[in-house]
Structures are given as structure tokens and as C-alpha cells.
Amino acid sequence: MKPLILIANDDSIYSKGIRVLTEIMSEMGEVVVVAPDTHQSGMGHAITLGEPLRVEKTNNFGDHIQSYKCSGTPADCVKIGKHQILKGRKIDLVVSGINHGSNASIAVLYSGTMSAAIEAAMEGIPAIGFSLCDFASDADFSHCHDYIIKICQQVLVHGLPKGLTLNVNFPAHSSMPLQGVKVVKQANAIFRERFEERKDPYGKPYYWMDGDLHNEDLNNNTDLDALAENYVSIVPVKYDLTDYDELKQMQSWDL
Amino acid sequence: MKPLILIANDDSIYSKGIRVLTEIMSEMGEVVVVAPDTHQSGMGHAITLGEPLRVEKTNNFGDHIQSYKCSGTPADCVKIGKHQILKGRKIDLVVSGINHGSNASIAVLYSGTMSAAIEAAMEGIPAIGFSLCDFASDADFSHCHDYIIKICQQVLVHGLPKGLTLNVNFPAHSSMPLQGVKVVKQANAIFRERFEERKDPYGKPYYWMDGDLHNEDLNNNTDLDALAENYVSIVPVKYDLTDYDELKQMQSWDL
């Protein structure tokens, strides 16, 4: 029996990345796409509370692929995909992406792509988030194909322990061939923000946020290191945020 | 010198919880409030990308407290608080809340309250998120006062290691006195969703999401255990999501 694969993303159902991912996953199993109807980058693990969700069938991927656009966030898409659209069926794998832009290092925390994968893990489904270090809407994803197939096959064979999901990032396409895959840790980096103040036509201020990621964790077997060396990076990500070392330390606090 | 304390939340600057927290923190230091101008619950670690932010001074807390309302998410409030409003000043502590509703267990991942605290930790500032297990807009926070003072004093004395923040949850107010504080781990729970389908006046479907948290981690020294026993729960939370055990295991994969 072919595995049942649910696909989500945060760049919306109209992005090139989800089209590429859907084509690749169709080689491996039965594919159902549930993706946001608008761009949801930077949405983190937002969910829709206090408002209803809209879901509509599309034929965005042709007649042979079941696909739905949803008014909610990436995490909402996984929830409604599992509990409403695929109600009662066992989902073998959730894949999210391919994101237009890196989700390495601390970007994992802001990432709608990864929140869809983490949401699936919370639902007990093996899940992988894929991202490409290229923000262009027409980015070249051709070097990702074989690696995505291999990583997904390994997850279908090995499974993933409860609570775990994979954060996979690809270097941008270049003339250099990829060097392979490295399983690494999330780099400790800082996003240094700048706020640019402008005035609107009525004289009132507004602010544009901008900034750069500074890697404070160089040459330490991280995802940023691997990507800089033209490797595919895989970080095993868990959603238990407890710091167990600190939990012991804090027993000495006077509370 | 009095410590400089930045306050944010996700229930908006108009909620009772941030008013209570601001009053308490004013006893300890110089307070600046930067909070969303609308309700942002369930926003997770969303940030505003591709849209500008509005920030406006308010006198919501009287003339003696500097306060600003912001059009962005809880994480945005911390970013613009540090990099624009308090530019160049050293912030000694960021506190977020008091949230109307629990952020124990996996709710930490959806929580705007905690994302403000985690954002501060990412900026290298000691930070604490406070939540009350009561969603009512007029909830009784009176039992929280002494614990908040004590926990903040301990953080100002001990500091917090880089990358760490505290997720503090209070049981709802009751006739039973609190039993004390427990430093515990994030409970492994599952949110079991239901989607209720309705039809709009034009015959098109929409969906309300609802559900219950199921604790799969009973009697295991978790935050949910501590709260059930009427203790204040503190989970030390880190934003390095790497699963280091699994990182070793995955070396045997064929990639």
C-alpha cells in the first residue's frame, strides 16, 4: 500500500516550493495538500483562535492530486488536514515546504514551515520541514529532489521517535554540487534588528523592521556550518522545550 | 539603581493581566510597557514581516508608567521595545503576561506570552512569562503577587543562563491557599481537536476549531501535575530545539 502523505507549507498553496515538493512526494505515495491561501511566513506556531476557518478544494496541482486551500496558519492546515479532511485515515508522513528561504538556526522558532511539521509531531505523525536558502519566488529547487526522496524514505523506514521532527535546509542552487548530508545542531545565532522610522502622509510615524543573522556558533557542527560548506543540514527538533540541566540547577533557588 | 523592566503580553495592553503585572513590577524597578493594541493569543512566535509596525505612546497605566501600544505581535513588541523605544539602555528583565489562561505543557508552543519571553532570551535578556489558569477577563490574580516578586528577585539575583527563560503558571484563584513553587518539566500532552462545520448564509462551509488537552504524562513531575496539586509551576525553557540524543542516533541513517 502506498503511504499517505500530507503536505503543508507557509508560502501559500500558490508557491513554487510546494509545487515542487508535491511533484516529488507523488513519486512516493498518495498525496494530499492542505496549504494556506495567503503567504504566512514568520507566523511561527500561530493557530487561529476565536475565528472560524475556511477550507476550499482546489485543482491547483491537476486532477490527480487532492488539494485544499485554507484561510488559516500552517499549523491550522495540519490540524484541519488530519481531523477534518483526512478524518479516520492514518497519515504516514507530513512534509512541509519547500520553504523559499532558510529556516536554519533560530529561524526555526519563527518558521511557519517548521510549525506545520512540529504540529504534526505533536499529533504523533512523522514529519519533516524542508527549506531552501533562497528567497526568490522562482528559486531553483532541482538539486533537492534526490535528497528529499532519500530523507523521506529513511523516515518511512526508521520512523521518528515521539516528539521529534526534522528541520532540513538546502543550500541555494549553485554550480557547485552538494557535498552530502550532515545531521547537526541548531546554530546559536542572534538576529540583529534595525527599525527604520518613516512618516506616513499624515505625519504619523511607522517602522520597518530589518536585520541580519549573526552566527555566534562558528565551526561547532551546526546547521549554519553545514550549509556554508554546501551540505544539506538536518537538525532533529523536539518540542519539549524543558531545559533539563537547568531544572536540576534551579533546585537551589529560594522559592 | 533600580532595574529597568520591560513588560509585554499577548492579551493586549487593555487586559487586566498586564495591568496587575505592571503594578507588581513597579514595586521592583523602572517599568516600560510595550504591548499589542489587539488580542494576540495563539500567535505563537509570529513576527511581522513585509508590513510596517505602528507604535503609539499611551497613558494606560497613569502618568508615572511609560507605556506604548504596538500594532505587531508579542515578539515584535519586545524587538521594538529593545531596539527602538529603549535603544541604548540595558534592560535588566523582561516579563510577559500575566496571561489570561494556562500556558503549561505544549501550550508553550502556541503562546504569544511565552514567545515574548523567548524573544527576550534570544536578545540575551533574562525573561519570564507568567500565566494564570483562568481565561476570564476579570480573573482574580491576587494570589500571584508575592510569588511574582520572589521569582523576579531570584532571577535578578541569580540571572538566567544564556538561552533560557522561565514559563511560570499559576493555578486559578480558589479558597485553597497555594502550596508553594515546583520547578518541573513541560508535560507531554496532546490537544485533541474537533472541527465543527457550519454553513454561512450563502451555503458555504466554515469550521470552528475546538478541543481538549489530554495529559499523557500523569504523575511525572510535570507542570500539569504541579498545577493540579495547587502549586505554582516553573518550567525552565530553552529555545535550542535540537534533540541531542537523537542527533547521535541518526548518525546510523543512510543519508
Side-chain angles (χ1 to χ4, degrees):
Chain A
M1 222 171 69
K2 290 206 293 186
L4 177 59
I5 301 167
L6 176 64
I7 302 183
N9 79 340
D10 72 352
D11 290 322
S12 98
I13 198 161
Y14 304 110
S15 67
K16 180 176 177 185
I18 199 167
R19 176 170 302 277
V20 170
L21 187 57
T22 300
E23 282 164 10
I24 297 171
M25 300 316 293
S26 297
E27 300 173 25
M28 298 189 66
E30 179 191 345
V31 165
V32 177
V33 180
V34 185
D37 56 11
T38 55
H39 212 278
Q40 298 273 323
S41 292
M43 281 305 279
H45 209 112
I47 49 173
T48 300
L49 298 172
E51 275 184 54
L53 291 173
R54 296 281 188 173
V55 182
E56 205 174 315
K57 215 168 185 327
T58 77
N59 70 344
N60 203 46
F61 305 95
D63 291 338
H64 299 296
I65 305 279
Q66 243 195 92
S67 72
Y68 300 83
K69 59 180 183 178
C70 171
S71 61
T73 65
D76 290 333
C77 289
V78 171
K79 284 178 187 288
I80 206 160
K82 176 179 161 73
H83 293 285
Q84 181 68 25
I85 296 168
L86 294 169
K87 194 158 48 184
R89 295 191 63 190
K90 181 177 168 288
I91 303 168
D92 297 295
L93 182 64
V94 170
V95 290
S96 178
I98 305 170
N99 192 60
H100 294 248
S102 167
N103 280 316
S105 182
I106 54 168
V108 65
L109 288 147
Y110 302 110
S111 164
T113 302
M114 282 308 298
S115 75
I118 291 172
E119 183 63 39
M122 291 162 84
E123 299 273 359
I125 311 169
I128 312 169
F130 293 105
S131 306
L132 177 72
C133 297
D134 185 343
F135 282 100
S137 58
D138 64 345
D140 185 339
F141 293 92
S142 59
H143 56 313
C144 306
H145 176 280
D146 296 358
Y147 288 97
I148 289 177
I149 294 276
K150 200 159 192 182
I151 292 165
C152 289
Q153 277 172 342
Q154 289 286 304
V155 167
L156 286 169
V157 167
H158 289 270
L160 285 177
K162 192 169 160 26
L164 193 84
T165 181
L166 302 183
N167 182 15
V168 179
N169 282 267
F170 291 95
H173 189 268
S174 75
S175 57
M176 300 286 291
L178 292 178
Q179 297 297 298
V181 174
K182 281 195 175 175
V183 183
V184 284
K185 76 185 184 86
Q186 170 186 327
N188 178 24
I190 282 191
F191 195 74
R192 295 216 184 115
E193 285 94 357
R194 292 178 297 273
F195 285 89
E196 190 187 321
E197 183 174 333
R198 297 190 182 181
K199 293 273 197 284
D200 70 17
Y202 316 103
K204 290 188 75 174
Y206 61 96
Y207 300 89
W208 286 104
M209 183 170 72
D210 191 11
D212 305 297
L213 196 70
H214 287 255
N215 185 2
E216 308 206 320
D217 210 6
L218 271 175
N219 302 321
N220 198 16
N221 208 27
T222 69
D223 48 5
L224 292 181
D225 288 339
L227 291 163
E229 294 160 8
N230 215 29
Y231 282 86
V232 181
S233 70
I234 304 184
V235 177
V237 162
K238 58 178 181 173
Y239 61 80
D240 178 357
L241 308 186
T242 310
D243 187 328
Y244 287 94
D245 295 335
E246 193 58 25
L247 207 160
K248 279 182 211 145
Q249 294 293 323
M250 283 184 61
Q251 304 304 331
S252 66
W253 285 30
D254 175 23
L255 296 164
Chain B
M1 231 183 50
K2 289 206 292 186
L4 177 59
I5 302 166
L6 176 64
I7 302 182
N9 79 340
D10 72 352
D11 290 321
S12 99
I13 199 162
Y14 305 110
S15 67
K16 180 176 177 185
I18 200 167
R19 176 172 300 279
V20 170
L21 186 57
T22 300
E23 281 164 12
I24 298 171
M25 299 317 292
S26 297
E27 299 173 26
M28 298 189 66
E30 178 190 346
V31 165
V32 177
V33 180
V34 185
D37 56 13
T38 55
H39 211 277
Q40 299 273 324
S41 293
M43 282 304 280
H45 209 113
I47 50 173
T48 301
L49 298 172
E51 274 184 56
L53 292 173
R54 295 280 188 173
V55 182
E56 206 175 314
K57 216 169 186 322
T58 76
N59 70 342
N60 203 45
F61 304 96
D63 291 338
H64 299 296
I65 305 279
Q66 243 194 92
S67 73
Y68 301 83
K69 60 181 182 178
C70 170
S71 61
T73 65
D76 290 333
C77 289
V78 170
K79 283 179 187 288
I80 206 161
K82 176 178 159 77
H83 292 285
Q84 182 68 26
I85 296 168
L86 294 170
K87 195 158 48 185
R89 295 192 62 190
K90 181 178 168 289
I91 303 170
D92 297 293
L93 182 65
V94 170
V95 290
S96 178
I98 305 170
N99 192 61
H100 294 249
S102 167
N103 279 317
S105 182
I106 54 169
V108 66
L109 289 147
Y110 303 110
S111 164
T113 303
M114 282 309 298
S115 76
I118 290 172
E119 183 63 41
M122 292 163 84
E123 300 273 0
I125 311 169
I128 312 168
F130 293 105
S131 305
L132 177 71
C133 296
D134 186 342
F135 282 100
S137 58
D138 64 345
D140 186 339
F141 292 92
S142 59
H143 55 314
C144 307
H145 176 279
D146 296 357
Y147 288 97
I148 290 177
I149 293 276
K150 200 158 193 183
I151 292 165
C152 290
Q153 277 172 341
Q154 289 286 304
V155 167
L156 287 169
V157 168
H158 290 269
L160 285 177
K162 193 170 160 22
L164 193 83
T165 180
L166 303 183
N167 182 14
V168 179
N169 281 268
F170 291 94
H173 189 268
S174 75
S175 56
M176 300 285 292
L178 293 177
Q179 297 295 299
V181 174
K182 281 196 175 172
V183 183
V184 285
K185 76 184 185 83
Q186 170 185 327
N188 178 24
I190 283 190
F191 194 74
R192 293 215 186 115
E193 284 94 356
R194 291 178 297 273
F195 286 89
E196 189 186 321
E197 183 175 332
R198 298 189 182 181
K199 293 274 196 282
D200 70 18
Y202 316 103
K204 292 188 73 177
Y206 62 96
Y207 300 89
W208 286 105
M209 185 170 70
D210 191 13
D212 303 297
L213 197 70
H214 287 255
N215 185 1
E216 308 206 321
D217 211 5
L218 271 176
N219 301 320
N220 199 16
N221 209 26
T222 69
D223 48 6
L224 292 181
D225 288 341
L227 292 163
E229 295 160 8
N230 215 28
Y231 281 87
V232 181
S233 72
I234 304 184
V235 178
V237 161
K238 58 178 182 173
Y239 61 80
D240 178 357
L241 308 186
T242 311
D243 186 328
Y244 287 94
D245 294 336
E246 192 58 26
L247 207 160
K248 278 181 212 150
Q249 294 292 324
M250 283 184 61
Q251 304 303 331
S252 66
W253 284 31
D254 174 23
L255 296 164

